[in-house]
Amino acid sequence: MKNQIVLTLSVCALFLIGCQPQPVQYDILIKNAQIFDGSGQPAILGDVAINADTIAAIGTIENAMGKQEIDATGLSVAPGFINMLSWANVSLLEDGRSQGDIRQGVTLEVLGEGSSMGPLNPSMKQEMQENQGDITYEVSWTTLGEYLNHLENKGISTNVASFVGNATLREHVIGIDKRPPTTEEMGQMKKLLREGMEEGAVGLSTSLIYVPSGHAETDEIIELAKVVANYNGMYISHIRDEEGQLLEAVKELITIAEEAKLPAEIYHFKASGNANWHLLDSAITLVTNARKKGLDITTDMYMYNASSTGLNVVLPSWAKEGGHDATIRLMENPVKRKQMMAEIDFHVPPDKILLVGFRNKAMRKYIGKTLAEVAAERAISANETLVDLIYEDDSRIQVVYFSMSKENIKKKLQLPYMSICSDAGSYTNEGVFLEQSTHPRAYGSFARLLGHFVREEQVIPLEEAIYKLTTLPATNLKLRKRGALKKGYYADIVVFDPTTIKANATFEKPHQYATGMRHVFVNGGHVLKDGAHTGNSPGRFVKGPGWKK
């Protein structure tokens, strides 16, 4: 009898074990994480599961296991970050790993500030081929969509998207002449823009302080923006002035959005030059009032009080109208050269202008020096030095302008409609990239937000910062299934230590990676593992709302 009871109990035990549900297996299981879903809400404790390129489950996932498991105890998990203004269009051709940005958690580079990598005509392709610097590449594409597909097929670690630049449209159809388009030319530009939107571009961009983008008058931009509105895209602009005429420039963008009936964003929103810092409050009021009227106006910013662009921007406007080659010819005319020097407008003093990039290797001895230091070394005025350097290098010369208020940075960051950008390439701190210096924002804008402004300065809470890096820009761009941690969304996911994440790049030594980012997944592909790049290249061309297969 006793043996029969034991046998019965054994059979029942085996039956119960057999009835236990088998663990659900996922490709990747991130466990015990502080999960920020991108909405701006505080974190929840839970798990995230990935199958292939998709988030399969999120929250408290019971009876689960992963082919690969990550214990994220004490770590934060968030959607991959979106860089709203990236200049990685050439750096990704050289090195698709996108190391500088991946190590900060950027999983989408949004390209095309004012100019884009297509559409190109034969002369534009030839010019792009001939004017390459340290990075050389074959221009094997013609349209913007072909370029973005080229990146994906080549192999990149990050996703990419792009605006169509009005400068590219103008150069394709008109050249660099400063004049309005004819009716036929406007029709050609609209046709090219429609093609770009149907290929997957996210909208139209302008960069109105540069040639030939700035040759476009407001009415011309409105007509192009109306094309984009038909595809549910957005207009984005480096506005016509960020200094004394800042308010007029903001009003122009608002007018374009209102007339064309589409969302609009201001690139790297700022008041540049000490004398103009006070204008920021009025610019914010203009945007806020436009939003109250129902206009969808947004902004983005990088996390430094210094900008970076060409040394040539301080030349008088007439000296830049015909493009760089025309500027060089004017410099060869003694009368025009003297006039040019006399009319240089230093919105930032020469001792606040740092030289970081030259085309001519012989000129690179000046990298890391200020314009004032080089002028003293040459024993001539800063005005004459500026003109001489541009002429000798036969380039616009990349510089850093220390032109913005640190307090204004904090004020801007608290705006509910502010996204984040780098306004830089995504580099590897080795090889050809070390031939030039750069702005530390190329390696640190996103990590500086999380480390300095969130953890140290406590300007905004972590959940709000993550919203600005993820759901906000994805919503503005109308991206499908990206920018949030939700079941069924693409698995663009970052895992980082909020107590240690840090930007290490400085103006003196910019080529330094950020630290504190532990894992990065792009479309489910493990790109950063335990802080080291895996070499994986799962990045894709992310299409805008007007894309047609």
Side-chain angles (χ1 to χ4, degrees):
M1 182 68 177
K2 182 179 179 180
N3 290 339
Q4 186 177 358
I5 292 172
V6 170
L7 179 62
T8 301
L9 290 173
S10 298
V11 170
C12 288
L14 289 171
F15 177 76
L16 289 172
I17 290 170
C19 289
Q20 291 293 323
Q22 294 298 307
V24 177
Q25 187 178 74
Y26 298 99
D27 290 340
I28 298 162
L29 183 62
I30 304 169
K31 304 187 297 183
N32 309 316
Q34 292 287 334
I35 300 173
F36 294 89
D37 63 6
S39 67
Q41 295 300 308
I44 61 169
L45 182 65
D47 316 309
V48 180
I50 302 171
N51 276 335
D53 64 355
T54 303
I55 298 172
I58 186 169
T60 302
I61 307 175
E62 297 179 348
N63 198 34
M65 61 182 294
K67 296 176 184 177
Q68 176 188 351
E69 294 189 358
I70 295 171
D71 183 1
T73 301
L75 302 178
S76 296
V77 175
F81 303 156
I82 296 173
N83 185 348
M84 272 300 296
L85 197 183
S86 171
W87 279 106
N89 44 299
V90 172
S91 59
L92 287 174
L93 290 168
E94 173 67 19
D95 187 344
R97 291 175 294 174
S98 192
Q99 295 240 45
D101 272 2
I102 283 290
R103 290 170 182 268
Q104 298 182 76
V106 173
T107 59
L108 173 60
E109 307 279 1
V110 185
L111 312 172
E113 183 202 3
S115 61
S116 50
M117 298 296 277
L120 307 175
N121 60 29
S123 64
M124 293 168 73
K125 293 180 73 167
Q126 182 179 351
E127 184 179 4
M128 185 179 287
Q129 193 80 54
E130 292 175 349
N131 291 341
Q132 294 170 10
D134 297 316
I135 297 173
T136 58
Y137 51 92
E138 181 184 357
V139 184
S140 58
W141 63 88
T142 298
T143 71
L144 179 57
E146 287 170 354
Y147 161 77
L148 294 165
N149 281 319
H150 172 75
L151 284 181
E152 181 178 327
N153 294 335
K154 173 183 175 294
I156 49 176
S157 296
T158 183
N159 295 316
V160 288
S162 183
F163 289 89
V164 178
N166 87 307
T168 304
L169 298 176
R170 264 194 153 257
E171 187 173 356
H172 193 291
V173 175
I174 303 172
I176 58 173
D177 294 347
K178 186 180 181 181
R179 62 171 177 81
T182 64
T183 302
E184 182 182 354
E185 288 168 339
M186 178 57 80
Q188 289 178 289
M189 287 196 288
K190 287 181 176 180
K191 178 177 181 293
L192 292 169
L193 182 54
R194 283 193 294 270
E195 291 170 355
M197 294 301 295
E198 291 178 8
E199 283 184 310
V202 291
L204 171 72
S205 67
T206 61
S207 191
L208 299 174
I209 71 164
Y210 301 114
V211 172
S213 180
H215 290 343
E217 298 294 339
T218 307
D219 288 346
E220 176 184 330
I221 300 169
I222 290 170
E223 285 303 302
L224 293 174
K226 287 178 179 178
V227 172
V228 170
N230 290 332
Y231 291 95
N232 209 21
M234 74 181 298
Y235 171 64
I236 191 166
S237 180
H238 179 145
I239 54 179
R240 209 173 290 272
D241 196 291
E242 297 171 327
E243 300 172 22
Q245 300 299 309
L246 171 64
L247 303 185
E248 290 77 4
V250 172
K251 289 175 184 177
E252 181 185 32
L253 176 127
I254 292 170
T255 297
I256 292 166
E258 189 168 26
E259 293 294 323
K261 296 181 174 56
L262 84 172
E265 180 153 316
I266 301 173
Y267 276 132
H268 44 59
F269 187 46
K270 59 180 177 287
S272 187
N274 302 34
N276 305 309
W277 290 351
H278 69 285
L279 295 176
L280 180 67
D281 288 341
S282 297
I284 290 172
T285 298
L286 286 173
V287 174
T288 301
N289 288 343
R291 290 172 60 84
K292 287 178 179 177
K293 288 173 56 179
L295 295 176
D296 190 2
I297 309 296
T298 53
T299 57
D300 57 62
M301 65 181 290
Y302 45 81
M303 307 312 303
Y304 295 85
N305 67 323
S307 62
S308 184
T309 185
L311 184 60
N312 67 327
V313 300
V314 300
L315 293 173
S317 58
W318 57 263
K320 298 175 289 185
E321 285 180 1
H324 175 72
D325 290 343
T327 299
I328 294 297
R329 288 194 297 271
L330 288 170
M331 288 179 175
E332 292 171 346
N333 181 317
V335 175
K336 293 295 183 182
R337 182 178 182 274
K338 185 176 180 180
Q339 182 184 355
M340 198 182 298
M341 288 191 297
E343 294 181 18
I344 286 173
D345 179 19
F346 283 117
H347 68 286
V348 178
D351 65 334
K352 298 294 184 183
I353 301 176
L354 183 69
L355 305 170
V356 298
F358 290 88
R359 182 179 184 181
N360 183 346
K361 290 185 177 181
M363 301 286 286
R364 293 177 186 173
K365 61 185 178 180
Y366 297 125
I367 287 177
K369 295 184 178 182
T370 67
L371 180 63
E373 288 172 333
V374 176
E377 185 179 316
R378 293 186 168 204
I380 55 177
S381 71
N383 299 54
E384 186 173 2
T385 301
L386 184 148
V387 172
D388 285 351
L389 290 177
I390 291 173
Y391 185 78
E392 291 166 24
D393 197 56
D394 193 14
S395 83
R396 60 200 290 267
I397 301 181
Q398 193 72 16
V399 299
V400 168
Y401 294 100
F402 292 89
S403 59
M404 288 173 281
S405 159
K406 293 180 181 179
E407 290 307 310
N408 276 354
I409 291 176
K410 296 178 183 180
K411 187 180 296 183
K412 292 185 296 181
L413 186 54
Q414 296 176 71
L415 297 173
Y417 46 80
M418 180 66 74
S419 296
I420 310 300
C421 70
S422 72
D423 195 8
S426 183
Y427 308 132
T428 296
N429 64 358
E430 61 187 43
V432 68
F433 298 113
L434 300 183
E435 292 290 324
Q436 305 276 12
S437 186
T438 189
H439 193 299
R441 66 192 183 189
Y443 289 89
S445 196
F446 307 91
R448 181 170 167 79
L449 167 62
L450 299 176
H452 179 69
F453 288 102
V454 172
R455 183 179 65 242
E456 296 173 2
E457 295 287 334
Q458 298 182 5
V459 178
I460 57 174
L462 181 56
E463 57 266 28
E464 184 179 345
I466 289 172
Y467 166 71
K468 292 175 180 296
L469 290 164
T470 59
T471 297
L472 175 61
T475 301
N476 293 340
L477 292 166
K478 300 180 179 64
L479 301 182
R480 181 174 172 270
K481 294 186 177 181
R482 296 193 189 269
L485 294 184
K486 293 182 180 180
K487 184 178 179 180
Y489 272 47
Y490 291 104
D492 298 335
I493 299 172
V494 299
V495 183
F496 65 95
D497 187 342
T499 68
T500 64
I501 192 163
K502 180 184 177 183
N504 298 303
T506 65
F507 288 99
E508 294 75 24
K509 295 181 179 180
H511 290 287
Q512 299 185 78
Y513 293 133
T515 49
M517 187 63 59
R518 298 287 186 83
H519 301 274
V520 176
F521 297 89
V522 179
N523 301 308
H526 207 166
V527 174
L528 196 73
K529 183 177 183 179
D530 296 319
H533 204 294
T534 64
N536 286 346
S537 53
R540 297 176 184 168
F541 166 17
V542 174
K543 278 82 169 179
W547 177 57
K548 294 187 177 180
K549 294 183 181 181

